[in-house]
Amino acid sequence: MKLLFTLLIVAAVTLAAAHAAGTSCRAITFSGAGAFGAYEAGVLWGLTAKRPADEVEWQFATGISAGSINAAGAAMFSVGNEQGAAEFLTSRWMGITPEQIYVNWVGGLVDGLLLQKGIFNDAPLHKFLSDNLNLTALHQSTRGLLIGATNIDTGNFDIFEKTDPEIVLGVQASSSIPGVFPPTFKGNAVYQDGGVTYMTPVTDTARLCYGTGATDVTIDVVVVGDLETTVDMNKAKTIDLLLRTLDIVKTNMHYKDIETVFEAFPNVNLNVFHPSQPLPGNALSFTYSGPLIKIGYEDAITENTTIGLTKDNYKSALNKAFGLNL
C-alpha cells in the first residue's frame, strides 16, 4: 500500500511538471533590418550568453526581410541548442560581403534604374541562402519557423513556414527590398519585402505560441530603426525629406505591430531590444558586421535599452522610449 501511495505521488508530481512545462512558450522575432541584421545576430548571441538556459529556449524563431534570414538560421538548431544558433549566425554575418548579397547589372545603375526590375541584381543572395540554409537541419529541428513576404499580386502578407518546399525562395522573397532588388517569383505569385506590410511579425509569433496551448507567452522582439526625434527639417531638400518620411513610416510600423499584438493577445509579454546608439553603415553596406554584432551583444548583456512590455504599460513605455504618441 505504501509503495502504491508513493507511486501515485510520483505520478502526480510528474504530470503536474509536464502540465506546467506545457503552459509556457518563448519565441524570438526579428524585424526587417538589411545589413543591420548583424546587430540582431549580436543580440541573440548576447541573450544566450547572459540568460539562464530556459529563458532562451525559443520554441519559434520568426522574422521579416533580413530578420527572416536570422530566423531561418536560428530555426536550423533545435530547442536547447541556442548557442549553436548564435555561433552560426554570428559567423555567417562576420564573413558576409556586399558582393554576396547583390551586384550591379551588366549595364550598371542606369540599367538597373531603367531596364530592370530593381536597381541591383540580387542573384548572389539566392546563392548565399542556398549555400547556408541546411534544409535537412531545418526540417529536423524542433524549433518552429515563420517568415513572411508581401504578395504584390494580391497585396496580402503571405506566411511561409519551414515545411515549405521552397523556403529558400521564401526567405529571398521576404528580403526583396522594393526598387532596390527585383521581386521574387515563388509559385505563381510575385513577392517583395515583407516589410512592405509588417516590420516585425510579432502578432503571428504570439499566435504560434498560443496555438501550442500555452497560457504564459513571452516574446523577445529585436527591432532596428529608432526614430531620431530632434531633427530640424526646415532646410531639408527632396532626398532628405524622403528619407526622413521613410524613417517615420518604418518607426510607426514597428510599434503599430506591437500595438496590434496586445489588441489580439492582451496577456502576451514582450521584451523589446533596440540599438543603444546609432549603427554604423546603412541597410545596404554589409561591411560593418563586426561592430554591429558587438553593439547587439553588449545591448543584450547590459539590457540598457530593453523594454519590458505588457498590456498595461506598453503605450506609456513606448511613448517614453521613442517619443511616440500611441
Side-chain angles (χ1 to χ4, degrees), residues 145-309:
L145 170 69
L146 181 147
I147 62 174
T150 303
N151 187 320
I152 300 301
D153 296 321
T154 65
N156 293 331
F157 179 75
D158 289 355
I159 289 171
F160 312 124
E161 300 188 39
K162 67 180 186 178
T163 53
D164 190 313
E166 295 184 313
I167 192 63
V168 170
L169 278 179
V171 176
Q172 183 167 359
S174 186
S175 307
S176 298
I177 305 171
V180 177
F181 298 149
T184 296
F185 295 83
K186 181 179 182 298
N188 296 318
V190 181
Y191 290 99
Q192 294 270 203
D193 199 312
V196 173
T197 317
Y198 298 108
M199 288 305 297
T200 315
V202 62
T203 301
D204 286 310
T205 307
R207 175 181 56 78
L208 288 175
C209 265
Y210 283 110
T212 68
T215 55
D216 178 15
V217 174
T218 301
I219 304 174
D220 294 317
V221 185
V222 189
V223 298
V224 176
D226 295 354
L227 180 69
E228 189 176 350
T229 58
T230 57
V231 177
D232 182 359
M233 299 300 292
N234 282 327
K235 298 180 180 179
K237 304 302 180 185
T238 302
I239 297 299
D240 290 330
L241 287 167
L242 176 61
L243 292 174
R244 177 63 174 172
T245 302
L246 291 174
D247 280 344
I248 293 170
V249 169
K250 182 170 66 174
T251 298
N252 278 282
M253 287 178 70
H254 271 309
Y255 300 106
K256 286 297 181 183
D257 290 345
I258 290 173
E259 188 171 32
T260 299
V261 73
F262 283 112
E263 292 174 353
F265 302 102
N267 294 320
V268 70
N269 298 293
L270 304 183
N271 297 312
V272 178
F273 298 85
H274 65 103
S276 59
Q277 58 187 279
L279 299 178
N282 58 58
L284 294 176
S285 57
F286 295 98
T287 52
Y288 296 92
S289 290
L292 288 168
I293 290 170
K294 183 174 184 291
I295 295 169
Y297 178 86
E298 292 175 349
D299 282 352
I301 290 290
T302 62
E303 298 197 67
N304 287 335
T305 57
T306 306
I307 312 170
L309 301 181

Side-chain angles (χ1 to χ4, degrees), residues 28-97:
I28 188 167
T29 186
F30 303 97
S31 77
F36 299 136
Y39 169 85
E40 298 178 337
V43 171
L44 184 145
W45 179 29
L47 291 177
T48 60
K50 176 182 180 177
R51 283 181 173 178
D54 62 333
E55 292 186 13
V56 293
E57 290 180 344
W58 300 293
Q59 290 170 243
F60 299 97
T62 70
I64 295 294
S65 197
S68 73
I69 299 174
N70 284 329
M76 287 165 42
F77 298 83
S78 288
V79 177
N81 189 13
E82 288 68 36
Q83 183 176 349
E87 291 174 353
F88 173 81
L89 289 176
T90 54
S91 68
R92 292 309 183 273
W93 278 105
M94 283 297 293
I96 209 166
T97 63

